[in-house]
Amino acid sequence: MATKEPPLFRDIDRVLIDREAIAARVRAMGAEVAADLQRAIDRHHDPADAQVVLIPILTGALVFTADLIRQMPMMLCLRVVAVSSYPGRSMASKGAKIAGELPQDLAGKHVVIVDDILDTGQTLAVVKRLIQEQGPASVRICVLLRKPESCRKERIDADYSGFDIPDEFVVGYGLDYDGFYRNYPQIAVLRAAATSALESRA
Ligand code: PRP
């Protein structure tokens, strides 16, 4: 008897970035970010005083962050922040809202904000501004995906970006539609039928 393909896979229209390409790029990004941070640490009067804090923006950055930090052979801390811009089935940003607390002890530290995607830039602009108000030693932005500059509503860019992608709604590797597909292991575009099926279940 033929087994039915699970919806997670059936709903995918096409893969934009496959798992091998993601893994290779994340490996290179981890090495690059770590090397830059190490150079910054070495400039401290006493490098042992320097602290590195990675701040993943929940929830989308979870998968990317988990892979990225394992490519960074150095002392670092993780502090998360939750921001929501695309609640539920929204495919257009509703404006970034911080949910809960931002870490409050970032003065003098080397901070790397990690996110899955830079789109309108509203999320990263809000988070970066609030972090900078605390007087960190440095702030870097690291994203896996970057949409074209024409999508931006804020003047902001990433210091590290894995892939430039077209202005399409993508899921997988942490990115969701209505909370689903984050566990799809590649960056992909959904079939239109999948989004309308989820709409009709609401
Ligand atoms: C998504 C994504 C980024 C942000 C990028 O988060 O994870 O954080 O939007 O969009 P922007 O550049 O237009 O602000 P979302 O609000 O969907 O929450 P999630 O991380 O929980 O999926």
Side-chain angles (χ1 to χ4, degrees):
M1 201 174 77
T3 48
K4 247 176 108 186
E5 197 185 16
L8 180 70
F9 298 94
R10 204 171 52 215
D11 290 350
I12 300 302
D13 179 45
R14 63 192 194 283
V15 172
L16 283 190
I17 309 168
D18 68 26
R19 60 176 91 206
E20 289 78 17
I22 295 171
R25 188 72 188 107
V26 172
R27 212 175 303 126
M29 289 177 86
E32 187 187 353
V33 178
D36 287 353
L37 287 166
Q38 195 56 55
R39 268 191 292 275
I41 290 169
D42 291 342
R43 282 196 293 269
H44 279 243
H45 179 64
D46 182 357
D49 284 346
Q51 287 190 42
V52 171
V53 183
L54 261 68
I55 303 190
I57 302 182
L58 298 178
T59 305
L62 269 180
V63 179
F64 175 41
T65 305
D67 285 345
L68 185 75
I69 58 172
R70 285 177 289 173
Q71 303 298 331
M72 299 177 64
M74 65 192 309
M75 298 296 281
L76 60 82
C77 293
L78 270 187
R79 308 290 299 280
V80 297
V81 60
V83 182
S84 175
S85 312
Y86 298 74
R89 286 175 288 276
S90 328
M91 285 172 147
S93 174
K94 306 283 183 210
K97 285 196 187 64
I98 303 255
E101 291 257 313
L102 192 81
Q104 289 300 318
D105 55 350
L106 303 172
K109 297 182 180 169
H110 294 283
V111 175
V112 183
I113 308 169
V114 183
D115 210 354
D116 50 356
I117 187 165
L118 169 58
D119 184 349
T120 67
Q122 289 168 297
T123 303
L124 283 162
V126 148
V127 173
K128 187 177 184 187
R129 182 170 48 77
L130 292 171
I131 288 172
Q132 264 170 336
E133 283 173 5
Q134 295 188 40
S138 66
V139 183
R140 294 169 169 80
I141 293 177
C142 177
V143 297
L144 180 71
L145 306 173
R146 181 169 57 184
K147 284 200 178 174
E149 228 176 290
S150 55
C151 296
R152 256 19 121 245
K153 290 186 179 160
E154 297 280 346
R155 281 168 60 93
I156 191 153
D157 200 0
D159 301 280
Y160 309 94
S161 168
F163 301 92
D164 285 324
I165 60 164
D167 185 16
E168 286 196 82
F169 191 86
V170 291
V171 298
Y173 199 73
L175 292 105
D176 74 308
Y177 176 68
D178 198 19
F180 297 107
Y181 307 103
R182 293 195 199 273
N183 56 325
Y184 186 74
Q186 324 193 75
I187 301 295
V189 177
L190 282 179
R191 288 168 53 226
T195 52
S196 39
L198 284 168
E199 308 258 333
S200 63
R201 255 173 38 182

